[in-house]
Amino acid sequence: MKRFVEGDDRKQVALLPECVDDYIGEDNPVRIVDVFVDELDLAELGFNGTTPAITGRPSYHPGVMLKIYIYGYLNRVPSSRRLERECQRNVEMMWLTGRLTPDFKTIADFRRDNGAAIRNVCRRFVELCRGLKLLASDTVAIDGSKFKAVNSRDRNYTAGKIDKRQQQIEESVQRYLDMIETADRTNPIGFDVKTVRLYEKIARLRQRMRELEQIKKQLKTQPDGQLSLTDPDSRSMTSGGKRTGTVGYNVQAAVDTKHHLIVEHEVTNIGSDQGQLSTMALSTKNAMGKPKLKVLADRGYYSGPDILACELVGIKTYVPKPLTSASRKKGLFTKRDFVYVARNDEYRCPAGERAIRRFTTVEHDMTLQVYWPSACPRCHLKGRCSPSDYRRIRRWEHEHILEAMQRRLERKPDAMTIRRSTVEHVFGTLKHWMGATHFLTRTLGRVSTEMSLQVLAYNLKRVMNILGVAATIKAMRMAET
Ligand code: SF4
């Protein structure tokens, strides 16, 4: 006889177990959230309201609010309105909060008012991972990715964008005026409905033109020549060779190569990764508590001063040189075709001539030695070398550090494969969790808090996958005692 699995009758008395705890299995991840927050010293981390006020309406304990947020980010429910609903209907949330149901405004205010403390919680979890020997690897991969802000492309302005829009408006106004003139010729008696509409359109466009003039004035006060109207800290930035930019933030992350945990992260509104390597690498080294560290990064991070700064504090970098040589594009010999002979402090050029040191100069705060051979004017390879009389070769005073890094990269041919497989999927996962709109909050500080919650949720999930729920809870309790 065919049958279906039967559900219980909803009118049945005592359908639910007596105790909410019976609903929450021993291996339920919500238990980790509970233990983790209970073991934190919230006052030390900087949370407001850890001591209740003597007068006034009782407030919610910051631990409860923090649990709500960590649970929400773990389960891809970051919005305060949705968290309010979850508190009312979700059994795990009821278990976690003791059936407290704060409204969405209270939930949102907690995230807004405790940004620094929430970021400290994220750091505290990394320290915990370090204590659990989960950051044993001596190598991290650093990368950056652009995350969309709450600011559409149409509400982000540069001088170029405004000029282009003004030109489009002028063209449209002219087109409508031509249409009105044609209508006047064909129907000289009075206005028809179409002509009235055209006049209305022209009035709207002229109003828009005036608004753009105002924005142009505001733009002059912006140091970087960009103005975002919805989220003033967001910036238009291009990525991955796309022609159109993302209006958003550049999130930097350092991920350990063994367990793929995010050791350090930073939200910036600088569109380029260049110049961010040493800051990220140094804070990662401190977070991991290692005397020495290896850092893998892509070509976008290549910067002599950054690589030098890392070298000075015991960080070995693996960053390939960008292929942006102007000589290569013109089909001429590149600097790689010139061999440095350290013994004599000179270069050997492709024609086998000696390029000797001529003078020292300073460019972009870097001291450079300049070399060239005397034989250039009569050289048979000159057509492939330089259109000038002499081919000049510049050498930075710390170039040996860049050469040593190049040799390291040659000895580790899989460095960039490890980098890719370590850090890129992390950004993919975070973006997938955050959905198409990415950030929900505005301004750099709040966006950083939101990112810290995402990173904390990501790291919690990784640790649960590595250790399992029971072992993670046990380890957390032991770490805090
Ligand atoms: S042009 Fe000068 S630098 Fe170039 S190959 Fe000839 S001698 Fe060497």
Side-chain angles (χ1 to χ4, degrees):
M1 189 180 81
K2 288 185 178 171
R3 308 177 287 128
F4 292 112
V5 177
E6 294 287 339
D8 288 326
D9 181 357
R10 37 174 90 106
K11 297 263 169 88
Q12 183 184 322
V13 179
L15 174 68
L16 306 175
E18 296 287 320
C19 173
V20 181
D21 197 51
D22 292 345
Y23 282 103
I24 309 299
E26 286 305 316
D27 58 348
N28 192 321
V30 73
R31 289 187 182 274
I32 291 187
V33 178
D34 191 52
V35 172
F36 174 59
V37 176
D38 284 347
E39 300 293 339
L40 292 175
D41 184 339
L42 297 175
E44 190 193 302
L45 289 166
F47 282 95
N48 303 329
T50 45
T51 312
I54 298 167
T55 55
R57 190 169 176 269
S59 57
Y60 291 103
H61 191 279
V64 173
M65 305 304 291
L66 182 62
K67 284 177 189 177
I68 291 174
Y69 265 116
I70 298 179
Y71 178 85
Y73 276 82
L74 259 179
N75 292 282
R76 292 158 65 181
V77 187
S79 126
S80 52
R81 284 173 194 270
R82 287 179 61 202
L83 282 171
E84 178 189 327
R85 275 203 299 282
E86 291 304 313
C87 285
Q88 293 159 2
R89 70 183 181 188
N90 181 327
V91 180
E92 288 177 350
M93 201 67 118
M94 288 178 194
W95 179 90
L96 193 61
T97 62
R99 299 183 70 176
L100 291 174
T101 53
D103 64 88
F104 75 89
K105 177 90 173 50
T106 310
I107 296 174
D109 286 352
F110 173 79
R111 183 171 55 189
R112 188 197 60 202
D113 299 338
N114 292 282
I118 291 172
R119 294 198 286 277
N120 286 340
V121 172
C122 183
R123 274 186 216 113
R124 180 72 198 89
F125 189 73
V126 173
E127 281 171 23
L128 186 76
C129 294
R130 189 173 130 195
L132 298 177
K133 307 272 182 281
L134 292 174
L135 301 179
S137 165
D138 63 347
T139 310
V140 294
I142 291 178
D143 202 359
S145 187
K146 314 293 187 298
F147 284 65
K148 282 185 204 160
V150 189
N151 196 105
S152 76
R153 275 213 296 270
D154 289 344
R155 293 196 33 97
N156 169 270
Y157 296 93
T158 59
K161 271 188 194 175
I162 292 180
D163 288 345
K164 202 171 157 195
R165 276 186 211 172
Q166 284 184 324
Q167 193 190 340
Q168 284 167 350
I169 289 173
E170 276 165 15
E171 284 167 10
S172 300
V173 168
Q174 190 54 51
R175 200 171 60 247
Y176 294 148
L177 287 173
D178 291 347
M179 287 162 79
I180 290 169
E181 204 181 311
T182 312
D184 282 350
R185 272 202 307 275
T186 51
N187 181 19
I189 315 152
F191 285 161
D192 63 2
V193 178
K194 198 176 158 196
T195 312
V196 172
R197 292 235 170 94
L198 286 172
Y199 275 116
E200 286 169 1
K201 279 186 181 176
I202 290 170
R204 277 200 297 274
L205 287 176
R206 292 207 164 124
Q207 172 61 25
R208 182 72 188 131
M209 201 72 157
R210 283 193 289 278
E211 287 168 9
L212 287 175
E213 282 301 328
Q214 285 296 323
I215 292 168
K216 219 174 184 175
K217 277 187 199 149
Q218 287 180 46
L219 202 56
K220 286 191 180 128
T221 61
Q222 298 294 315
D224 61 350
Q226 263 198 56
L227 182 70
S228 298
L229 294 184
T230 314
D231 178 350
D233 290 344
S234 63
R235 289 289 175 267
S236 175
M237 33 186 92
T238 51
S239 63
K242 285 186 205 153
R243 280 177 57 237
T244 51
T246 302
V247 180
Y249 292 91
N250 183 1
V251 178
Q252 299 287 312
V255 179
D256 92 288
T257 52
K258 189 171 179 199
H259 291 302
H260 296 198
L261 287 160
I262 303 173
V263 183
E264 193 63 39
H265 74 280
E266 183 73 53
V267 182
T268 73
N269 56 6
I270 302 164
S272 167
D273 291 336
Q274 204 179 35
Q276 315 228 26
L277 183 70
S278 58
T279 323
M280 279 302 292
L282 188 59
S283 48
T284 306
K285 182 171 170 275
N286 293 338
M288 293 179 86
K290 296 207 180 284
K292 289 186 177 167
L293 188 68
K294 291 179 191 159
V295 168
L296 316 175
D298 64 24
R299 291 178 205 279
Y301 287 89
Y302 193 92
S303 148
D306 260 346
I307 292 162
L308 172 67
C310 289
E311 193 76 25
L312 292 177
V313 292
I315 299 170
K316 294 276 175 228
T317 46
Y318 293 76
V319 188
K321 199 170 180 193
L323 305 168
T324 52
S325 160
S327 300
R328 180 188 297 274
K329 283 180 192 146
K330 291 179 199 158
L332 303 175
F333 291 131
T334 66
K335 196 174 169 189
R336 286 183 187 207
D337 298 312
F338 294 77
V339 180
Y340 182 65
V341 184
R343 192 176 56 249
N344 305 331
D345 186 20
E346 64 184 26
Y347 277 91
R348 189 73 61 192
C349 81
E353 297 290 342
R354 291 171 58 215
I356 60 170
R357 190 163 120 189
R358 307 286 177 166
F359 67 89
T360 303
T361 182
V362 177
E363 288 176 15
H364 307 297
D365 294 330
M366 294 164 81
T367 305
L368 306 173
Q369 318 290 353
V370 184
Y371 303 74
W372 69 81
S374 305
C376 287
R378 53 182 189 282
C379 173
H380 66 287
L381 292 175
K382 190 149 186 321
R384 292 178 57 200
C385 198
S386 172
S388 311
D389 290 345
Y390 294 94
R391 170 71 187 254
R392 295 184 174 203
I393 306 123
R394 285 174 163 70
R395 181 179 176 84
W396 183 37
E397 61 178 332
H398 301 294
E399 191 101 6
H400 59 281
I401 288 173
L402 304 181
E403 288 165 352
M405 184 181 73
Q406 188 56 39
R407 287 194 291 278
R408 277 201 298 278
L409 266 170
E410 279 158 18
R411 286 196 300 273
K412 195 174 173 66
D414 59 346
M416 288 305 108
T417 312
I418 297 170
R419 181 202 71 77
R420 243 190 332 271
S421 57
T422 301
V423 70
E424 290 196 350
H425 75 89
V426 173
F427 284 121
T429 306
L430 288 175
K431 284 185 179 176
H432 178 65
W433 285 358
M434 290 167 88
T437 48
H438 299 178
F439 288 121
L440 299 175
T441 53
R442 301 175 205 175
T443 68
L444 187 58
R446 292 181 196 173
V447 163
S448 301
T449 306
E450 211 186 324
M451 197 67 218
S452 289
L453 282 163
Q454 291 288 1
V455 168
L456 175 61
Y458 175 89
N459 280 344
L460 263 168
K461 269 199 183 163
R462 283 294 309 148
V463 172
M464 276 186 251
N465 288 343
I466 296 162
L467 299 179
V469 174
T472 307
I473 291 174
K474 195 174 161 197
M476 279 177 176
R477 287 202 170 118
M478 280 172 64
E480 297 298 333
T481 50

